[in-house]
Structures are given as structure tokens and as C-alpha cells.
Amino acid sequence: MDLEALGVVKSKDNKFAAWLNRGDSNNQVYFGIKDGEAKYTGMTRQPIKIRLSQHNKSGKGFLRLEVQYENLTRKQARAIEQYFIENGPNELNKINSIGQNNKYYKDALAWAKQYLESKGI
């Protein structure tokens, strides 16, 4: 994903941009729907039906998974997932996608916020 074209990263830290953009853009961020509401935020590069089956085998009981964003690198998807973990929906999330001790934690959340705002969120 070309961050310059999106106009969402104006970081002077080229290391952050390299970290964020590394890898294939084959990940998606989704919401787990339970009782008619988004209760969980996740990310995957697997087919969504397979991921739904995995969640439900572990007892989450989702009715469906709704893909929100696609064609993301793994780190971009992690940044968006962490943003939603901290700002909802996150009722069932137990693990942070990016820890607060990660040197790019603040940059990743700022990028995710700008990315989501560029998408009208």
C-alpha cells in the first residue's frame, strides 16, 4: 500500500514506514459478530470462512466475520487491529496486536487513526 498516495503518513522516520510496509498486502481486518454486534477485532490472511470456523471451535460463537479492510501488509493490519482493540469493538479480544513497549507503538496507532479517517471512520 503506497502510504504517500494515501497521504496518511508524514513520518520523518523512514524506519517506521519500512516496518509498516514490509511484506505482501494480503491481510484483512475483520469484526467478529455475536448477538448482532461487533464484539471482536481480528486480522487474517486466511479465507474468512476458515477463520470463522477456527474462532467458533475455540468457543467464541460468532455468527459471522465481517471484513472491514483488505489488501494490507501484516503490520498495517496489526496497527488497525490494535487501534480497534483500544477503541472498540474489543469485548472479546484478550491479546494486544502491538504492545505498548514496541518502539513503533505510537506511530502505528497514529497511522491507523489517519488511515481509518481517510476511509471515513
Side-chain angles (χ1 to χ4, degrees), residues 1-29 43 70-83 97-98 102-116 118:
M1 178 173 294
D2 182 3
L3 297 177
E4 295 297 324
L6 285 175
V8 296
V9 171
K10 296 182 174 92
S11 174
K12 294 178 183 174
D13 185 352
N14 290 333
K15 290 180 184 180
F16 169 68
W19 176 85
L20 188 68
N21 293 320
R22 186 175 312 131
D24 294 330
S25 296
N26 60 355
N27 293 273
Q28 51 195 349
V29 175
M43 58 170 270
E70 299 179 284
N71 304 315
L72 301 163
T73 68
R74 182 162 175 78
K75 299 288 177 37
Q76 290 167 348
R78 286 177 63 195
I80 294 168
E81 181 184 34
Q82 186 62 38
Y83 181 86
S97 192
I98 300 175
N102 184 304
K103 67 181 177 180
Y104 296 123
Y105 171 80
K106 288 180 182 179
D107 287 329
L109 287 181
W111 176 86
K113 182 178 180 183
Q114 290 178 334
Y115 176 84
L116 294 170
S118 79

Side-chain angles (χ1 to χ4, degrees), residues 22-101:
R22 186 175 312 131
D24 294 330
S25 296
N26 60 355
N27 293 273
Q28 51 195 349
V29 175
Y30 61 85
F31 291 160
I33 306 301
K34 185 174 183 176
D35 302 324
E37 295 183 30
K39 303 280 186 174
Y40 179 89
T41 301
M43 58 170 270
T44 190
R45 64 176 172 219
Q46 298 176 309
I48 207 72
K49 288 183 181 182
I50 291 173
R51 192 67 185 117
L52 175 62
S53 177
Q54 292 168 342
H55 277 304
N56 287 339
K57 280 182 183 177
S58 73
K60 288 198 173 78
F62 294 134
L63 176 63
R64 67 186 179 280
L65 301 181
E66 293 181 354
V67 174
Q68 303 297 307
Y69 306 98
E70 299 179 284
N71 304 315
L72 301 163
T73 68
R74 182 162 175 78
K75 299 288 177 37
Q76 290 167 348
R78 286 177 63 195
I80 294 168
E81 181 184 34
Q82 186 62 38
Y83 181 86
F84 282 124
I85 287 170
E86 294 188 19
N87 296 286
N90 68 344
E91 186 175 314
L92 298 176
N93 288 85
K94 295 180 181 175
I95 300 171
N96 285 319
S97 192
I98 300 175
Q100 292 182 355
N101 291 332

